[in-house]
Amino acid sequence: MDTVTAAARPAAPSPAACINCGTTLQGRWCHACGQRAHTPRLTLPALAHEVPHAVLHVDRGIVPTVVGMLRRPGQTINRYLEGQRARYFNPLTLLVLAAGLSALLYSAYPFQLAIESPAIDPRLAGRYAEFMRLNFKYYSLSLIFFLPATALITWCFFAGRGRAYGEHVVINTFILAMTTLIMIAAFPLLVSADRLGGLRLTWVAMSAAAMVYHLVALYAVFAASGSRLWTALRALASVALYIVTVSVVPMLLFFLLYARG
């Protein structure tokens, strides 16, 4: 007989589960949460495909994303990288929105950034103060410009931890978006400090708080993938080089281009 017995039939593959919510998949999309059945790894081509969606499309997960990044930044970022993306706000959108809001706030108030020192030529001091006002207003927007270099820094320091360069872009996008939100929250305090004559000290303190968050979040992302001490040292070195990069490049631009104008 040609009839194949039930015992001889190959077992049907078990249906896959949604990586985001665990619901049994019935097609290309999860009918429970809307997550795609297949989430590609975040390579550069994949990021290039997602950039238009990041700018033009706004998801609903901004509150849980911000709360998650404040309470458990490592877990939030790693879940996003592993494919649980339907519940979280797109990090590129979050960074663009946060940077835009920050630029709007910091350009609306005339912070006093003049330099008064007999050792500095008044003309140069005036140009530097003007340059610093621009840098102060658009600092958060400049983070988008620094994002590829920032990702390259962490990709180098955390080589061998299983994350591609595109994934490091996402890691740093999340972190820079949150440090930008920290500086937005600090805006009223900085305005008060400016009126009382303590702007520089307050700015340094708030910037330090943002860098501490940067360090803690970066450490949390990689804490489970290696020695804690070695991970902490790598995170510290990454943040230190990041600070040097975002500090030195503007100064070079000032002395090479702006100071001569």
Side-chain angles (χ1 to χ4, degrees), residues 102-190:
S102 178
L104 180 64
L105 285 175
Y106 281 89
S107 62
Y109 181 82
F111 287 99
Q112 301 300 316
L113 299 169
I115 299 176
E116 296 181 2
S117 174
I120 302 177
D121 179 79
R123 179 175 171 275
L124 181 62
R127 289 192 174 275
Y128 184 74
E130 184 180 349
F131 174 78
M132 286 303 298
R133 288 189 188 95
L134 290 175
N135 189 49
F136 200 74
K137 291 178 181 179
Y138 303 114
Y139 171 76
S140 295
L141 286 175
S142 72
L143 296 181
I144 300 174
F145 170 79
F146 285 112
L147 181 58
T150 307
L152 181 62
I153 290 171
T154 59
W155 180 70
C156 291
F157 277 106
F158 288 95
R161 295 296 182 93
R163 293 300 184 192
Y165 174 75
E167 292 171 313
H168 279 271
V169 172
V170 172
I171 291 169
N172 286 279
T173 301
F174 268 117
I175 294 175
L176 293 180
M178 289 305 299
T179 57
T180 301
L181 290 176
I182 290 173
M183 299 312 295
I184 290 174
F187 178 75
L189 181 60
L190 291 169

Side-chain angles (χ1 to χ4, degrees), residues 207-225:
S207 298
M211 290 304 101
V212 169
Y213 173 84
H214 191 145
L215 175 63
V216 171
L218 189 57
Y219 168 81
V221 171
F222 295 99
S225 60

Side-chain angles (χ1 to χ4, degrees), residues 17-213:
C18 173
I19 194 172
N20 187 63
C21 68
T23 301
T24 299
L25 292 172
Q26 300 177 2
R28 297 177 58 188
W29 301 84
C30 175
H31 63 278
C33 69
Q35 169 85 12
R36 284 189 299 181
H38 173 67
T39 53
R41 189 172 184 181
L42 295 172
T43 59
L44 284 178
L47 283 177
H49 175 74
E50 289 197 5
V51 165
H53 299 283
V55 176
L56 300 176
H57 180 67
V58 177
D59 298 318
R60 297 181 178 179
I62 187 168
V63 173
T65 299
V66 172
V67 171
M69 286 297 298
L70 288 173
R71 297 179 60 186
R72 297 178 296 274
Q75 184 182 87
T76 299
I77 294 174
N78 282 320
R79 282 180 174 177
Y80 187 87
L81 294 176
E82 296 303 327
Q84 297 183 27
R85 296 168 199 163
R87 71 175 68 179
Y88 297 116
F89 198 78
N90 188 291
L92 294 172
T93 305
L94 184 61
L95 178 58
V96 170
L97 292 178
L101 177 58
S102 178
L104 180 64
L105 285 175
Y106 281 89
S107 62
Y109 181 82
F111 287 99
Q112 301 300 316
L113 299 169
I115 299 176
E116 296 181 2
S117 174
I120 302 177
D121 179 79
R123 179 175 171 275
L124 181 62
R127 289 192 174 275
Y128 184 74
E130 184 180 349
F131 174 78
M132 286 303 298
R133 288 189 188 95
L134 290 175
N135 189 49
F136 200 74
K137 291 178 181 179
Y138 303 114
Y139 171 76
S140 295
L141 286 175
S142 72
L143 296 181
I144 300 174
F145 170 79
F146 285 112
L147 181 58
T150 307
L152 181 62
I153 290 171
T154 59
W155 180 70
C156 291
F157 277 106
F158 288 95
R161 295 296 182 93
R163 293 300 184 192
Y165 174 75
E167 292 171 313
H168 279 271
V169 172
V170 172
I171 291 169
N172 286 279
T173 301
F174 268 117
I175 294 175
L176 293 180
M178 289 305 299
T179 57
T180 301
L181 290 176
I182 290 173
M183 299 312 295
I184 290 174
F187 178 75
L189 181 60
L190 291 169
V191 171
S192 298
D194 182 63
R195 292 174 178 175
L196 297 173
L199 176 62
R200 294 184 184 279
L201 181 60
T202 306
W203 173 258
V204 170
M206 297 310 303
S207 298
M211 290 304 101
V212 169
Y213 173 84

